[in-house]
Amino acid sequence: MIKLLAISGSLRQASANTALLRAAIGIAPRGAEITLYEGVGQLPQFNPDIEHAAPPIVEDLRNRLIACDGVIIASPEYAHGVPGAFKNALDWVVGSVDLAGKPVALLNASGRATHAQAALAEIIMTMGWLIVNEASLVIPVAGKELDAAAILADPALTGQLHEAVGALLHAIEIGPPV
């Protein structure tokens, strides 16, 4: 079983990014399991003084990331950047050497979120994670008031999700480039 961890950069209840990730869970093929991490908003502010003796909620995030085979991230753009709470979550795991080479798909729910997507890609590469370009797609659902069920009911959107998840799974199966 290939295990993927989905993380939304949004804390909004009706987030298009979270809906996109919930829809990805709904199309996961046999042999793959996608779990949505929902603790971004509960993480304490990153503090390098306690990084190596982090609170249990931070250790839970690290353990989930270490245990998964790949990560799917969908994040909105706030003021041309990555949302603060999500950047905070990434700060907590930036020094986790066990995550180097972790395959990542960066989904973008809005084609207009180019600044945050570029910033997120830079952060992910700095962390040593491996962005799977074929799995990193713009799937335009933002502003359409679609929940996961509505996304799954749209064959074009579902097709794009299948493409992204399939490309990430393929990258995991073949392993990192040599």
Side-chain angles (χ1 to χ4, degrees):
M1 177 73 68
I2 296 176
K3 295 183 179 191
L4 303 176
L5 187 64
I7 306 174
S8 176
S10 177
L11 301 181
R12 286 184 59 231
Q13 195 73 356
S15 163
N17 291 282
T18 305
L20 192 58
L21 294 173
R22 289 185 192 284
I25 291 168
I27 59 97
R30 187 175 312 193
E33 175 184 88
I34 304 173
T35 303
L36 182 64
Y37 177 74
E38 300 185 83
V40 170
Q42 287 78 48
L43 294 169
Q45 289 297 309
F46 174 69
N47 180 344
D49 289 338
I50 63 169
E51 180 178 11
H52 297 292
I57 191 168
V58 172
E59 286 304 317
D60 177 62
L61 172 60
R62 284 185 185 146
N63 290 335
R64 287 176 189 235
L65 285 165
I66 290 167
C68 75
D69 299 299
V71 181
I72 305 172
I73 296 173
S75 180
E77 179 173 302
Y78 294 163
H80 285 189
V82 177
F86 185 56
K87 175 64 168 74
N88 180 62
L90 295 173
D91 286 342
W92 275 113
V93 298
V94 72
S96 299
V97 295
D98 295 332
L99 299 174
K102 185 70 68 173
V104 179
L106 298 178
L107 299 183
N108 186 340
S110 170
R112 298 181 316 188
T114 58
H115 297 284
Q117 198 71 353
L120 184 55
E122 179 65 25
I123 294 165
I124 295 299
M125 288 186 298
T126 300
M127 293 170 66
W129 296 9
L130 177 66
I131 297 172
V132 179
N133 291 323
E134 299 80 10
S136 299
L137 303 178
V138 175
I139 304 176
V141 297
K144 296 181 180 178
E145 308 296 324
L146 301 176
D147 62 6
I151 293 169
L152 290 169
D154 184 316
L157 297 175
T158 303
Q160 289 179 294
L161 272 176
H162 275 291
E163 182 182 340
V165 171
L168 181 58
L169 292 173
H170 179 71
I172 291 166
E173 289 168 351
I174 64 170
V178 182

